[in-house]
Amino acid sequence: MKQTSFSKKRIIHIYVVILIVALVILTAATLMFKYHVEGEKNLPFNLSAINIISTAESNITQDENQIWHAGILQKNDIYFVIEKNSNYKKEEAIRKITFDNFTITKSNENMEINIYKPTTSVNTYKYEDEYKIEKSLEYIGGQATNTELLQINNQGGNIGFSITADNLGEYTFAENEKVPSDGRLLAKAGIAEEDVKFKVTFDLIIETESNHKFKSNITLDLPTGNILEEGVGSYKDTELKDVIFKRF
């Protein structure tokens, strides 16, 4: 009788242990899934906005037959606003911000895509080879934001890069013809909207002085707005629902 009672208690004990282990595994799996979906909820620094300005510009030349040509460069200036998280109570500073692993998806295979770093302290650009980003772009934390020096204030700032689409064609025009110097030039040259669209995907990495790293993969559809009719398109995203940062 005692043996039977002991066996029952042992079986109950085993079931309790199994139940506890199952609950622990379920809780861990739930937390892992939640982290995978939502990411880090209390970063020391937040990406608070992405701003995009899309347009086009022309390079006007005259050939030996005195015919004028307007080469077309479609450009997209992209700005990232990094801010200190007011809910993060510990002292922290930015060591560097990195843009890396750029991937381009385009519908027009003839289109040539290039990425450029700023050439002045106020995010302006020269589309020359020496300013091209070949692999990644780093902004180092410092006392102030200076995009020409690729430096961001270690408590946050506004930084970015520019992406251009080239080899789109050109517009031939008469000497006295007025030629638009923005996205409307694409329509003048008979370039269709779908022929200038492309998608860029990249990693944004925030690294702090306490050796914490947070990474998010970001995808942007470019250009933004109806630049063929309006000339300039702009877009601002402050909700950033698809931007999820994770430790790595």
Side-chain angles (χ1 to χ4, degrees):
M1 194 73 171
K2 290 182 178 179
Q3 182 68 28
T4 302
S5 177
F6 175 77
S7 297
K8 288 182 177 179
K9 288 182 179 180
R10 187 175 180 183
I11 292 172
I12 292 171
H13 178 72
I14 292 172
Y15 279 128
V16 169
V17 171
I18 292 174
L19 179 61
I20 292 172
V21 171
L23 287 173
V24 169
I25 293 173
L26 180 61
T27 301
T30 301
L31 291 174
M32 289 176 64
F33 179 76
K34 182 179 176 65
Y35 187 80
H36 176 74
V37 173
E38 299 180 1
E40 197 76 24
K41 301 304 291 184
N42 191 34
L43 283 77
F45 297 93
N46 291 325
L47 174 65
S48 62
I50 297 177
N51 301 315
I52 305 172
I53 298 176
S54 297
T55 187
E57 63 179 40
S58 60
N59 177 28
I60 297 177
T61 58
Q62 187 182 37
D63 63 24
E64 64 276 8
N65 297 316
Q66 307 303 308
I67 297 174
W68 292 89
H69 304 268
I72 304 170
L73 182 72
Q74 195 281 307
K75 58 182 185 178
N76 308 275
D77 296 345
I78 307 170
Y79 307 93
F80 302 84
V81 183
I82 309 290
E83 292 183 344
K84 183 73 166 44
N85 181 1
S86 59
N87 295 321
Y88 192 84
K89 302 307 179 184
K90 298 178 182 179
E91 289 190 8
E92 189 57 283
I94 295 171
R95 176 177 292 168
K96 64 181 177 180
I97 305 291
T98 305
F99 300 96
D100 198 8
N101 297 320
F102 289 92
T103 301
I104 306 295
T105 305
K106 54 187 180 180
S107 57
N108 179 359
E109 291 302 319
N110 294 322
M111 183 165 53
E112 179 183 342
I113 306 295
N114 290 299
I115 308 170
Y116 294 87
K117 62 185 179 181
T119 55
T120 72
S121 60
V122 290
N123 281 312
T124 56
Y125 297 90
K126 291 181 181 178
Y127 300 111
E128 301 172 359
D129 287 348
E130 63 181 294
Y131 302 111
K132 281 184 183 179
I133 301 169
E134 298 298 337
K135 184 179 178 182
S136 64
L137 175 65
E138 289 185 354
Y139 283 88
I140 304 301
Q143 295 301 310
T145 297
N146 187 319
T147 54
E148 181 181 12
L149 301 177
L150 298 181
Q151 181 174 293
I152 182 172
N153 186 303
N154 61 23
Q155 295 301 299
N158 188 343
I159 56 176
F161 51 82
S162 186
I163 303 182
T164 65
D166 204 354
N167 199 31
L168 296 169
E170 65 176 19
Y171 178 64
T172 303
F173 61 99
E175 183 173 356
N176 296 323
E177 182 180 350
K178 191 173 182 180
V179 178
S181 57
D182 54 29
R184 293 171 295 176
L185 185 58
L186 295 163
K188 273 273 191 183
I191 299 170
E193 183 179 4
E194 57 268 22
D195 287 335
V196 296
K197 287 188 174 296
F198 63 96
K199 187 188 300 286
V200 58
T201 301
F202 55 92
D203 292 332
L204 193 165
I205 301 169
I206 300 175
E207 183 176 345
T208 69
E209 289 292 352
S210 59
N211 293 319
H212 291 141
K213 292 183 179 180
F214 306 92
K215 178 168 69 174
S216 180
N217 186 257
I218 296 173
T219 298
L220 301 175
D221 293 304
L222 299 172
T224 190
N226 185 4
I227 63 172
L228 274 71
E229 293 184 7
E230 299 175 0
V232 179
S234 63
Y235 171 79
K236 183 174 183 178
D237 187 356
T238 56
E239 295 185 1
L240 302 170
K241 293 179 180 179
D242 296 328
V243 178
I244 299 170
F245 281 92
K246 299 176 184 177
R247 291 176 183 262
F248 75 106

